[in-house]
Amino acid sequence: MDNPVEVILGTARGVILLCDHASNAIPTRYGALGLPPGQLERHIAYDIGAAGVTRIMAARLGCTAVLSRFSRLLIDPNRGEDDPTLIMRISDGAVIPGNAEMTEAERRERLALFYAPYHAAVSAAIDASLAAGVSPVLVSLHSFTPVWRGMARPWHAGVLWDADDRLARPMIDAMRAWGDVEVGDNEPYSGQLHGDCMHRHGTSRGLAHALIELRQDLIADEAGQLIWGERLADLIYRVVKTPRLDALHPRCD
């Protein structure tokens, strides 16, 4: 793997898109972490459909996007460095043999080869926007399974946030105004995860931010990705124009 990060450079500075779990790729030197190929197609390896939605949104908004090019099973860039789930040994019932006997040296190597370059790319995108005189909003794209532990999830999408709701609140309101989707407010997960990607690059730098979760059955194919990519891009374009954000985030075009 020559580069563990994909960066789509855009000319619009007002929005930066992130996709922490864009890929299920694992370099051959890791032997697929001892897993059969079928396991790498599951949600445990990446966020199904999220990369396609991110690329469509980036094209429509003309903005920069940063996407991982490695599986979350190798190391999870949406976790703090001290989080015990940074490198998973068991994920949704699947034992990860290549992670079972993780040494500290191997952990440090994965941090250096994959985790650090991803976060460096995010920081560089933010710094470029700030240097151009625009404080960007950060939008992270993820996806979730329709069923978890035998329970069907009713949401079509969710918006996750922590203490700063400048972006999340108008996004939730706008999505609910569509009238045809069930939107979770910090569901199906909580956005209050110290050290995660949004905390690291949004909260710590005072930038408005939100994480969007999309149900995987809605974006599993290109048609679904196009629908949601276009809808979300149009929504974000309108939301960042609101007076609540104008002082810090004056434009996205």
Side-chain angles (χ1 to χ4, degrees), residues 87-224:
I87 299 174
M88 296 289 284
R89 290 169 170 78
I90 301 176
S91 183
D92 193 18
V95 176
I96 319 301
N99 294 344
E101 302 295 333
M102 175 65 55
T103 66
E104 181 56 28
E106 176 64 22
R107 179 181 176 278
R108 288 197 301 268
E109 181 179 80
R110 293 191 198 182
L111 281 166
L113 292 178
F114 305 102
Y115 186 96
Y118 179 78
H119 287 289
V122 176
S123 293
I126 294 171
D127 290 343
S129 186
L130 293 173
V134 179
S135 295
V137 300
L138 308 180
V139 180
S140 184
L141 279 301
H142 289 244
S143 67
F144 63 95
T145 59
V147 177
W148 180 247
R149 295 180 178 175
M151 299 293 293
R153 287 163 152 173
W155 311 281
H156 300 89
V159 178
L160 313 189
W161 58 283
D162 188 3
D164 181 355
D165 69 349
R166 285 175 296 165
L167 181 61
R169 182 55 52 199
M171 284 177 57
I172 292 169
D173 293 343
M175 291 171 74
R176 287 177 174 170
W178 288 343
D180 61 347
V181 298
E182 183 71 25
V183 182
D185 182 348
N186 266 334
E187 296 284 0
Y189 308 109
S190 170
Q192 299 173 340
L193 181 61
H194 185 85
D196 69 358
C197 195
M198 289 291 91
H199 181 272
R200 179 172 182 151
H201 297 287
T203 301
S204 66
R205 302 191 69 165
L207 301 175
H209 58 279
L211 188 154
I212 300 175
E213 289 274 2
L214 299 173
R215 208 174 67 202
Q216 288 169 358
D217 59 316
L218 303 176
I219 57 170
D221 58 22
E222 292 182 1

Side-chain angles (χ1 to χ4, degrees), residues 49-60 178 214 218-234:
V53 173
T54 302
R55 293 189 182 100
I56 290 165
M57 292 173 66
R60 193 168 183 90
W178 288 343
L214 299 173
L218 303 176
I219 57 170
D221 58 22
E222 292 182 1
Q225 292 164 22
L226 181 61
I227 290 170
W228 278 94
E230 291 186 342
R231 290 188 86 175
L232 289 174
D234 291 347

